[in-house]
Amino acid sequence: MGTLVRFESTRLLLQREDFPAAWKALKKSAGAWAPPERLASATGLVALLEALDLRPTLDAHGDLVALAFEGDRAPVGAPDEYPENLVVALKKLLRESRFDLTLEGAPRVRRTSIDRGQVRSQDVPRRIRFFRQLSPPPRLTVGGTAEILVRYVSTVDGDDAAVDFKVSDGGEPLSVRASTARLSPGGEATVTVHVPPGRPVYRADAIAAALYGDGAATVRGHAELFLDPDGAIDDGAEVIATETAPGGGDLVDAKAAPLALEDLRRFAARVTRDAASSVAARVGASADLAGALEVAGFGVERSGAGVRSVRWERPTMPWREDELLSMLRAFAPRTSTRGARVRRAFESDPRRWVTFLFEPGRVERLLEERRAPD
């Protein structure tokens, strides 16, 4: 009969621009064991995933954001590592992805994370009962509110262990409440999260509200979100000062520059707001990374085919603050500089710098004190 298999992503991003390459890689991997008739009619990635019993979920942009194995047992002929072998075949295309593989009767879950070609796996204790977040982590700034849907999940057949449901701020700058005080296995609740105005938030961070279930069983979980500093910036606020600290090494070296350019092009393809779309189109048409960043409004110090550093070149930019951060995050995994800071001060909040801090593989948006000149 075979072993019961459960496989699902807990975090996943495959951008729609990578679907053709993913389709080729997946078809090659599955072709070693899957019946040809299963693959013959799958002319696109979504159809191919469905033919292999992997249920895909797409977001509003058309990106693949979740996968789950719908069958009870691995298909006949599939290798022992099915369906993990299928997602590993996509390792060069997946970003920030994590998968849990559970085998019938196994006391532990195999957890695999994949990010731009790097694959890491570990075995973690299997949870019998837990709270699962059903909606993607929202992004909030101070004063913002979001609703997060969670479900009480039990792997015990016929489980009726109802619990008293409570939610806590977990020591984070949050105000939280739950839509119900009682949950049974399979039940769902909405956790409302509010970031009170005036709370100091200096950098973007992933935080969580703690979920508690007590009574007939003990159940734990988290409702995750991203908290961003807002810098008290209104769209179109006037820039009154800029500052750049180059940091150590190139921002993006020559080897990574073509990949970073492709990331910027993907960002540009998603910009639909009229005030920014024409500039985004020019960014997407740029021949090299430095040129794309110059079109986007930065001053650029070149380093051969790479980029040594960037600076604020203009008092205003066509981007909203969230778009600007998204643009920098698009190619941040390609960066190699350490400690580079690009700062702006705004008329609406002249006592603080709004800083983008670049470190190898990432960028953070910080708020920093701006001291008056001596």
Side-chain angles (χ1 to χ4, degrees), residues 193-278:
V193 182
H194 176 67
V195 184
R199 292 299 297 260
V201 179
Y202 299 104
R203 67 175 62 208
D205 201 5
I207 62 176
L211 309 178
Y212 299 93
D214 293 294
T218 298
V219 187
R220 297 291 184 262
H222 295 90
E224 297 181 334
L225 65 146
F226 293 102
L227 185 55
D228 291 320
D230 66 357
I233 300 171
D234 298 322
D235 290 335
E238 182 180 353
V239 176
I240 60 173
T242 65
E243 184 175 281
T244 301
D250 290 340
L251 179 68
V252 180
D253 63 31
K255 183 178 179 180
L259 300 174
L261 175 62
E262 185 61 28
D263 291 332
L264 269 185
R265 286 174 173 163
R266 287 172 173 152
F267 159 80
R270 284 165 166 71
V271 176
T272 57
R273 192 170 57 89
D274 290 343
S277 59
S278 62

Side-chain angles (χ1 to χ4, degrees), residues 129-141:
R129 300 180 179 92
F130 55 94
F131 295 117
R132 173 183 292 155
Q133 182 167 328
L134 300 181
S135 49
R139 300 203 82 98
L140 292 180
T141 56

Side-chain angles (χ1 to χ4, degrees), residues 26 38 42 44-57 67 70 82:
L26 193 61
R38 266 199 159 197
L45 178 64
V46 171
L48 181 57
L49 289 168
E50 291 173 344
L52 295 169
D53 292 331
L54 288 173
R55 186 184 75 247
T57 300
L67 274 177
E70 289 190 314
Y82 175 89

